[in-house]
Amino acid sequence: MATESWQVRAKTKRDAVNSLIPEQWRIKTPIPSPLAQRDVTGAYICQYLTDAEVEITETDAVGIVKETTAGRWTAVDVAQAFCHRAALAHQLTNCLHEIFFDAAIESATKLDAYYAEHGKPLGPLHGLPVSLKDQFHVKGVETTMGYVGWIGTFQGKTGTGKEMVFESEMVRELRALGVVLYCKTSVPHTLMSGETVNNIIGYCWNPKNRNLSCGGSSGGEGALIGLKGSPVGFGTDIGGSIRIPAAFNGLYGIRPSSGRLPYEGMANSMDGQNTVLSVVGPLATTVASLRLIIKALLGQQPWLYDPLVNEMPWRSDHEQCIMNYIGTANGGAGKLAFGIMRHDGVVNPQPPVRRAIDIVVKVLQKLGHKVIEWDPPSHKRGNELCMKTWRFDGGKDIHGAFALSGEPPAPQVSDGYGTSPSVEASASEIATVNVAKREWQKEYMDYWNSTERFTDTGRSVDAVIAPIAPFAAALPEKFSYYGFSTFVNILDYTSAVIPVTTSNKAIDIADDGYQPLNEHDRLVWERYDPEVYDGAHVAVQLVGRRLQEEKVLALAELVGNAVASG
């Protein structure tokens, strides 16, 4: 198609989505520049809300469910408050792909009617608004995944009978739990970027510091929840796409191991690439919110409806073991053990990230826990394997999606995939990568086991504290290194994000005279500007072994609370 055609289609879609914001919720005055108003969270967005809306939207998912299941808050009032705040968030950051507020109010009305008739909630998440990354299929709503060529189709195809009627498995389960769905959030087209940008909505900005990216690929979720336009939402992660937006927006988030939560029926890039699987997981403002929604979903027995989900209900005893370790009754002498990864041997993080690691280490030591320096098998080798898996098909899938409309890929995508497909990997080449991956996983497992010699607990380390990215957040078009997040994906470990602090230009001074280790390191070092980064959220990730979601959440809550209390 002609260049004008994809531009017109993108604008028509963008205008159609924006037109669904009610007139009374539209910001009438010009939105100030980032120079004039860097931070649009907190008091800035709250100026457009009523006191009642602020009370509701400043409450976490656990607090909301406590009120709705007791009948003290109606589902309609809660839905309206979050729809309003989400509408504002979108106008400030471009965080939404799909708006279906009317359907949300209709769902909430039915929930209130059910409560009035039966005197009890429909389910454990009765009336809880949940936002979804634009990979989920929801009845009555399109899924474009940022592709212009997917507008008006089902994943780029027409005449499938699934258009606007098919729903992903997790959507069905969330509805059964009493959730209210009301929006889908923006993603980078292809999903393969740590920044969120596409030709439909443009660039999604970081609401805490609008000089910076909100992250990706679940960037719309990060920006929306960062502005408290959602109490909890779902993203996906194949290379950091839950953890990066959670970190950049000061949130908690968890990347579960593959096979824990249902991915069935979701749109994806490079579907069928099974060496490193994308996983689905939640982002929220509290660990308790993550626990609430994961526990509720596992109660729906997703292993009966998604063939890739393990039959593994919520394991409270795995949480309890952490409490036992830090209690003297179990002989734990009140001690946990953590590996500390300050760098990965390829890139040194920028000053704010290094300071966040130091803050966590000091808090852990103050509490009497053991910390050891993490010196694992080569991350460079593991990350190179991960990058190979993303290019098995030579970019055929994503370039095919671009060809549907003739739209060009954003620079963040073309930097990695070019502007046309390349040679696909052979079966033997894929097998070679799979063997190398397994061997690296085994080396890493053995190293983790070996740390028992240094912990003084009788166990190997309970978790590893590490950066998620080398910077607090990415500058536009400057996310050049993903190694701090992708090593978790190649290992298929469980990892949770813990917000720690904010960048401070008076403390986080640039490293003048630093001698970079390599080109990746040089780019990260050169791009740090204390003034530009001032005020940005800074986080770390807490990495556990495979399928340790309960344990990792318990540890993240313990560490997060300790950091918050100083």
Side-chain angles (χ1 to χ4, degrees):
M1 296 183 181
T3 301
E4 291 77 17
S5 177
W6 73 257
Q7 291 172 328
V8 169
R9 292 177 68 189
K11 184 178 186 304
T12 300
K13 175 65 176 178
R14 181 168 60 251
D15 291 346
V17 172
N18 290 336
S19 71
L20 295 173
I21 297 176
E23 181 65 32
Q24 67 271 24
W25 291 351
R26 296 183 186 178
I27 299 174
K28 303 300 192 296
T29 56
I31 295 171
S33 69
L35 183 63
Q37 184 66 47
R38 177 175 295 200
D39 182 356
V40 293
T41 64
Y44 187 88
I45 192 171
C46 286
Q47 69 180 301
Y48 300 108
L49 301 166
T50 66
D51 290 345
E53 288 172 329
V54 170
E55 180 187 7
I56 290 170
T57 55
E58 294 282 321
T59 304
D60 78 346
V62 174
I64 291 167
V65 166
K66 183 178 180 180
E67 299 299 322
T68 54
T69 56
R72 290 188 291 269
W73 286 356
T74 68
V76 166
D77 284 346
V78 173
Q80 286 178 331
F82 277 101
C83 287
H84 186 186
R85 192 151 179 164
L88 296 170
H90 178 57
Q91 294 171 80
L92 294 169
T93 62
N94 298 327
C95 60
L96 301 184
H97 271 189
E98 301 291 339
I99 290 171
F100 39 106
F101 297 158
D102 289 346
I105 300 305
E106 182 180 344
S107 295
T109 301
K110 290 178 181 178
L111 287 169
D112 287 338
Y114 181 93
Y115 198 103
E117 179 180 352
H118 299 280
K120 64 179 183 179
L122 176 69
L125 304 182
H126 182 98
L128 177 67
V130 173
S131 51
L132 300 172
K133 184 179 185 177
D134 192 25
Q135 290 180 254
F136 288 86
H137 292 295
V138 177
K139 186 176 181 180
V141 183
E142 285 189 334
T143 301
T144 67
M145 221 167 73
Y147 288 126
V148 175
W150 281 23
I151 297 170
T153 73
F154 182 80
Q155 298 180 188
K157 298 177 181 179
T158 56
T160 66
K162 295 182 177 181
E163 294 88 343
M164 306 283 281
V165 294
F166 179 80
E167 291 203 320
S168 305
E169 171 56 28
M170 189 184 286
V171 171
R172 183 193 69 79
E173 295 175 12
L174 289 170
R175 291 193 192 280
L177 291 164
V179 156
V180 173
L181 303 174
Y182 63 114
C183 64
K184 291 204 293 176
T185 53
S186 53
V187 302
H189 50 205
T190 76
L191 308 176
M192 305 304 291
S193 174
E195 301 173 57
T196 294
V197 58
N198 61 62
N199 293 318
I200 300 174
I201 57 102
Y203 197 89
C204 186
W205 295 97
N206 188 314
K208 183 67 174 174
N209 183 330
R210 291 190 298 147
N211 296 308
L212 305 172
S213 168
C214 65
S217 62
S218 311
E221 282 298 321
L224 178 66
I225 302 171
L227 281 163
K228 297 190 177 178
S230 168
V232 61
F234 280 92
T236 61
D237 194 315
I238 194 173
S241 292
I242 291 169
R243 291 163 290 146
I244 290 166
F248 288 9
N249 293 280
L251 305 172
Y252 289 93
I254 183 168
R255 183 243 182 238
S257 294
S258 59
R260 198 71 206 272
L261 294 178
Y263 210 115
E264 175 66 23
M266 291 172 59
N268 202 4
S269 282
M270 300 173 289
D271 195 16
Q273 182 282 108
N274 291 339
T275 299
V276 177
L277 288 172
S278 177
V279 299
V280 59
L283 302 83
T285 55
T286 62
V287 172
S289 298
L290 303 179
R291 181 185 295 111
L292 171 75
I293 202 159
I294 292 175
K295 194 172 181 179
L297 279 168
L298 293 179
Q300 295 292 297
Q301 298 181 293
W303 47 86
L304 297 178
Y305 309 100
D306 183 336
L308 298 184
V309 173
N310 300 309
E311 185 172 349
M312 190 177 292
W314 181 262
R315 301 164 298 180
S316 297
D317 57 316
H318 285 222
E319 290 182 285
Q320 185 57 44
C321 78
I322 300 302
M323 299 303 104
N324 292 341
Y325 289 157
I326 61 176
T328 56
N330 198 47
K335 184 183 291 187
L336 296 167
F338 296 87
I340 306 299
M341 190 175 85
R342 299 179 186 275
H343 59 82
D344 65 353
V346 181
V347 167
N348 278 310
Q350 293 176 349
V353 178
R354 298 203 304 266
R355 182 166 61 86
I357 295 284
D358 287 341
I359 288 171
V360 174
V361 168
K362 289 175 183 176
V363 166
L364 293 175
Q365 290 175 328
K366 182 180 177 181
L367 293 174
H369 300 306
K370 180 77 171 182
V371 298
I372 67 170
E373 295 301 315
W374 195 244
D375 186 23
S378 167
H379 274 216
K380 182 175 184 289
R381 195 165 96 249
N383 288 322
E384 285 172 350
L385 292 171
C386 193
M387 295 298 173
K388 286 180 180 179
T389 69
W390 295 349
R391 297 181 176 89
F392 277 162
D393 76 343
K396 180 180 179 180
D397 176 68
I398 64 172
H399 287 299
F402 287 130
L404 293 172
S405 67
E407 66 173 318
Q412 290 87 340
V413 172
S414 61
D415 283 351
Y417 288 92
T419 55
S420 61
S422 58
V423 178
E424 297 185 49
S426 67
S428 60
E429 288 170 333
I430 293 172
T432 298
V433 171
N434 287 339
V435 170
K437 182 195 81 165
R438 187 181 69 238
E439 290 174 346
W440 192 71
Q441 289 174 320
K442 172 60 173 165
E443 285 183 47
Y444 219 96
M445 176 184 287
D446 290 344
Y447 171 72
W448 193 305
N449 292 339
S450 75
T451 62
E452 180 181 348
R453 294 174 295 163
F454 310 109
T455 61
D456 304 328
T457 64
R459 309 181 305 276
S460 56
V461 296
D462 296 293
V464 176
I465 303 295
I468 300 158
F471 26 66
L475 295 164
E477 297 186 33
K478 298 294 189 292
F479 205 138
S480 58
Y481 184 70
Y482 291 92
F484 287 108
S485 57
T486 54
F487 85 93
V488 172
N489 299 85
I490 198 80
L491 293 165
D492 196 25
Y493 281 173
T494 304
S495 177
V497 175
I498 302 171
V500 176
T501 186
T502 56
S503 299
N504 186 327
K505 62 184 179 182
I507 301 173
D508 301 317
I509 308 300
D511 300 317
D512 294 333
Y514 174 70
Q515 296 299 313
L517 304 173
N518 50 59
E519 183 63 10
H520 286 303
D521 199 34
R522 183 187 68 79
L523 290 173
V524 168
W525 169 62
E526 287 184 347
R527 289 168 177 171
Y528 177 62
D529 184 331
E531 183 62 47
V532 171
Y533 274 92
D534 193 47
H537 288 296
V538 194
V540 300
Q541 62 180 328
L542 184 147
V543 182
R545 302 210 208 201
R546 289 188 67 244
L547 297 168
Q548 289 191 340
E549 288 74 28
E550 295 89 345
K551 180 178 178 180
V552 164
L553 286 177
L555 287 168
E557 191 166 49
L558 185 151
V559 175
N561 289 343
V563 167
S565 346

